[in-house]
Amino acid sequence: MDSTEASSESADVVKAVGGGGTSFHGDGVAATTTQQQILDGGGNSQASGASCSTEGESDSAQVSEIISAEDLDSTSEEVESTISSSCNSGLHGRSRKLATMMSVDGNSSLLSAAAPESDGVQKVSEPKATAHSGMKHTQPASTPSHFQIRESPLSSDAIFNQSHAGLFNLCLVILIAVNSRLIIENLMKYGLLIQTGFWFSSRSLKDWPLLMCGLTLPVFPISALLVEKLKLYTAISEKFVATLYLIITTAGILYPGYVIHRVQSAVLSGLILILIAVTGWMKLVSYAHTNADVRALIKAGMKPATPETAAKVEYPENINFRNMAYFMMAPTLCYQLSYPKSNTVRKGWVLRQIGKLLVFVGLMGFITEQYINPTIKNSQHPLKGNPLYALERVLKLSIPTLYVWLCIFYCFFHLWLNIVAELMCFGDREFYKDWWNAKTVEEYWRMWNMPVHKWMVRHIYFPCLRAGLSKRAAVLVVFAISGIFHEVCIGVPCHMLRCWAFLGIMLQVPLVFLTNYLHKRFHNSMVGNMVFWFFFCIVGQPMCLLLYYHDVVNDFQTMSSSEKH
């Protein structure tokens, strides 16, 4: 419709509104006819809207002059309905302008929502939605309410496709409330039981050789760098390079282990030193393995893969002190020539994470001293005495032990590694995945410690497959090496090798096959997840804790009595 036709139709609206009172006081034929013509316009409504908006002022004046005071009360509703219907798809702004400007003798007015109210002024209500008005938010009684087949949110088929943020918040509130009550009750009944003797004692001041040992550990990565320089500038064989690396990495483990044993250090001091040594050992193995593989690729006429988000560094440009120092400080165990990096360091964010770290470390110390130590002191060796009593102690330790373990995970894998990554501008911060949703034990081990998992896959699992081992044999080798690491990290600081940690890791292998079978048998991820939580967190960790604690405490008491005598 062109502008001329639109003007004509707008005039019809005005005539229908102001037909001398006949169209409204009588049978309403003129208004109804004109309104129906406008409604039947269909696709012309948008053009009519444009016309109405351009001629609003002149038509409004005509309406004000035509409508009389005595007709206003009975016709105002029909006027607004007619205007709203005729301009429904583009005339809503003009209809409000017409309604606003219609007034008779100052006694009553049709005002829009934008006009202020005054004495004797009535507002015209908004037009009601009809089947012909085309307005939104209309739903007739015949509209269907059910359109498709759907499951209830908590049904087994749909539960993992729903968001459970509200239930998580509820569980968090209940957890805080219940544990707060238990903490207050415990403090009222037993008082503050925190004692630092087990973690820091007078012997801790004698642990200065461990500090000196830690300060001399950088000699091993420097030696590895010199070996790479030697290979770069001389014609020594790969076997000789591997022999030198074997000597360096072996010394890197035996040296701190000997110092810890010789000094008979406190548990915490020895644990920190041996963790640093094992981490350095794994980094050096990766450094040697990666550089040897890069040399083999170059010899074969190929180039090593480089991430698109990382700077392009080619061999032997990476053989320098800066590259080695960055790798040894970066939160990763797998060496590569360059890493994805972030652009800036968020200092405020780092300070907040440090604050959280201090809070959770304090919480771990409180739970350990207030709940775990008293429970273990009142227990027997789990392999001796009454089995039911040992089971009761294990179950009583399960909850505080689980809390401490979760705090350790959060402090180290989330807070500490992210702090180091932020300071080092290290870009890849996938230090863990959603291991709490693990369907099998195997899936848990693949997701909860990503730096170690990537190292095991890269430097143990795939080399075993290339050597001709089957997948099951390669998995067994991976778990055996992991068990050795756990035994070294726990047994050396405790000054004993009981193989409890090694056996605990190796017992994961049957659980791997069990949970894989259950997952395939029942086609339900909940079964394997429940088995994982029960065996690993409710039974396994408290049992290992009891075994090691009794052995450590017995040795500690024996040593203290011998010192007194």
Side-chain angles (χ1 to χ4, degrees):
M1 176 186 297
D2 57 16
S3 59
T4 306
E5 295 175 349
S7 301
S8 174
E9 186 169 309
S10 301
D12 291 339
V13 175
V14 176
K15 291 178 182 179
V17 171
T22 305
S23 59
F24 294 101
H25 279 287
D27 54 5
V29 175
T32 305
T33 303
T34 306
Q35 182 179 358
Q36 189 61 40
Q37 291 174 356
I38 294 172
L39 289 174
D40 293 340
N44 301 331
S45 60
Q46 292 183 357
S48 300
S51 175
C52 288
S53 62
T54 56
E55 297 180 7
E57 294 183 1
S58 60
D59 289 351
S60 300
Q62 295 179 34
V63 171
S64 300
E65 293 174 0
I66 295 172
I67 297 180
S68 62
E70 60 181 1
D71 296 332
L72 181 61
D73 293 336
S74 62
T75 62
S76 59
E77 229 175 273
E78 295 181 42
V79 170
E80 188 170 330
S81 177
T82 303
I83 294 172
S84 176
S85 299
S86 63
C87 302
N88 180 63
S89 300
L91 307 182
H92 191 61
R94 179 181 177 272
S95 63
R96 289 194 173 185
K97 187 180 292 185
L98 290 174
T100 303
M101 300 181 67
M102 289 189 296
S103 59
V104 179
D105 297 336
N107 295 324
S108 59
S109 302
L110 294 175
L111 299 175
S112 68
E117 287 189 357
S118 60
D119 295 339
V121 176
Q122 293 182 344
K123 280 189 176 181
V124 176
S125 60
E126 290 290 330
K128 297 181 180 180
T130 64
H132 302 286
S133 64
M135 297 188 67
K136 297 181 180 179
H137 309 298
T138 61
Q139 183 175 346
S142 60
T143 303
S145 298
H146 307 282
F147 293 92
Q148 57 185 334
I149 300 174
R150 286 174 289 197
E151 295 288 343
S152 298
L154 296 180
S155 62
S156 58
D157 295 332
I159 188 171
F160 288 107
N161 297 326
Q162 305 294 324
S163 174
H164 303 294
L167 292 178
F168 175 79
N169 292 335
L170 174 62
C171 292
L172 190 61
V173 170
I174 294 175
L175 190 68
I176 293 174
V178 171
N179 285 276
S180 298
R181 185 193 67 81
L182 293 176
I183 290 174
I184 294 174
E185 181 181 359
N186 183 274
L187 291 174
M188 293 175 62
K189 188 174 182 180
Y190 301 106
L192 194 63
L193 301 177
I194 296 179
Q195 297 177 359
T196 60
F198 181 77
W199 305 100
F200 299 98
S201 62
S202 58
R203 292 191 303 155
S204 300
L205 300 177
K206 301 178 183 179
D207 290 346
W208 62 268
L210 273 69
L211 176 61
M212 300 304 297
C213 176
L215 293 177
T216 56
L217 287 180
V219 70
F220 298 106
I222 293 175
S223 301
L225 179 61
L226 293 178
V227 170
E228 289 296 329
K229 291 280 189 181
L230 185 65
K231 173 61 180 175
L232 185 62
Y233 296 112
T234 61
I236 60 176
S237 64
E238 290 290 344
K239 290 185 178 180
F240 185 68
V241 172
T243 302
L244 292 177
Y245 269 114
L246 180 62
I247 296 173
I248 293 171
T249 53
T250 303
I253 284 289
L254 294 180
Y255 169 52
Y258 172 78
V259 173
I260 293 172
H261 176 72
R262 181 72 176 176
V263 176
Q264 288 294 308
S265 63
V267 174
L268 187 59
S269 304
L271 179 63
I272 294 174
L273 180 60
I274 199 65
L275 286 176
I276 294 174
V278 170
T279 301
W281 183 88
M282 298 175 74
K283 283 176 176 281
L284 291 181
V285 169
S286 180
Y287 186 76
H289 197 178
T290 303
N291 281 314
D293 187 65
V294 169
R295 288 193 293 268
L297 289 175
I298 294 175
K299 188 176 181 180
M302 296 182 290
K303 289 185 178 182
T306 303
E308 296 181 358
T309 56
K312 292 186 178 180
V313 178
E314 297 183 357
Y315 185 87
E317 297 175 358
N318 62 307
I319 307 301
N320 57 70
F321 179 79
R322 183 173 182 178
N323 184 277
M324 166 63 85
Y326 183 87
F327 169 60
M328 296 304 295
M329 295 295 295
T332 180
L333 298 175
C334 294
Y335 176 74
Q336 59 191 56
L337 277 63
S338 61
Y339 297 92
K341 292 185 179 181
S342 57
N343 297 324
T344 59
V345 176
R346 299 169 292 177
K347 298 179 181 178
W349 183 88
V350 171
L351 293 177
R352 289 194 298 272
Q353 304 312 305
I354 293 175
K356 294 178 184 178
L357 183 64
L358 296 177
V359 170
F360 278 92
V361 168
L363 179 61
M364 283 191 295
F366 175 79
I367 295 175
T368 301
E369 293 295 330
Q370 195 72 22
Y371 290 95
I372 297 179
N373 282 353
T375 303
I376 297 179
K377 288 179 181 179
N378 296 325
S379 66
Q380 300 175 353
H381 198 282
L383 301 182
K384 302 175 183 178
N386 191 346
L388 291 178
Y389 182 78
L391 179 61
E392 186 272 337
R393 292 288 96 178
V394 168
L395 294 178
K396 188 172 183 178
L397 281 172
S398 61
I399 299 303
T401 304
L402 177 61
Y403 288 166
V404 170
W405 181 71
L406 291 176
C407 287
I408 291 174
F409 162 77
Y410 184 73
C411 287
F412 184 76
F413 289 99
H414 182 72
L415 296 177
W416 175 251
L417 291 183
N418 272 288
I419 290 172
V420 176
E422 186 70 21
L423 295 176
M424 300 291 296
C425 294
F426 189 81
D428 186 5
R429 304 182 185 184
E430 190 186 44
F431 305 122
Y432 58 90
K433 293 183 179 179
D434 57 335
W435 56 264
W436 45 88
N437 294 325
K439 305 176 187 65
T440 62
V441 173
E442 180 183 6
E443 191 172 302
Y444 160 77
W445 284 108
R446 291 201 308 263
M447 296 193 300
W448 100 278
N449 188 344
M450 293 305 295
V452 172
H453 169 71
K454 292 176 181 178
W455 188 92
M456 287 287 186
V457 170
R458 188 183 186 192
H459 301 294
I460 303 296
Y461 181 74
F462 282 121
C464 287
L465 294 181
R466 288 194 291 268
L469 296 180
S470 64
K471 290 186 176 181
R472 290 192 174 184
V475 169
L476 189 63
V477 171
V478 168
F479 273 95
I481 294 177
S482 177
I484 293 173
F485 284 156
H486 281 78
E487 185 62 36
V488 169
C489 292
I490 297 176
V492 172
C494 294
H495 313 292
M496 63 182 68
L497 294 176
R498 297 290 192 270
C499 293
W500 301 126
F502 177 79
L503 291 175
I505 295 299
M506 295 307 297
L507 288 176
Q508 302 294 311
V509 178
L511 287 179
V512 167
F513 295 116
L514 174 63
T515 52
N516 286 342
Y517 168 77
L518 292 175
H519 182 59
K520 293 178 181 178
R521 173 68 177 80
F522 295 101
H523 302 284
N524 193 328
S525 59
M526 292 290 292
V527 177
N529 188 262
M530 292 174 65
V531 172
F532 151 69
W533 280 113
F534 179 77
F535 281 100
F536 191 81
C537 298
I538 305 301
V539 177
Q541 293 192 40
M543 179 64 73
C544 288
L545 181 63
L546 283 172
L547 291 170
Y548 272 105
Y549 194 93
H550 277 286
D551 291 339
V552 170
V553 168
N554 291 336
D555 288 356
F556 181 77
Q557 292 176 350
T558 302
M559 184 178 298
S560 299
S561 60
S562 63
E563 289 179 354
K564 290 180 181 179
H565 294 292

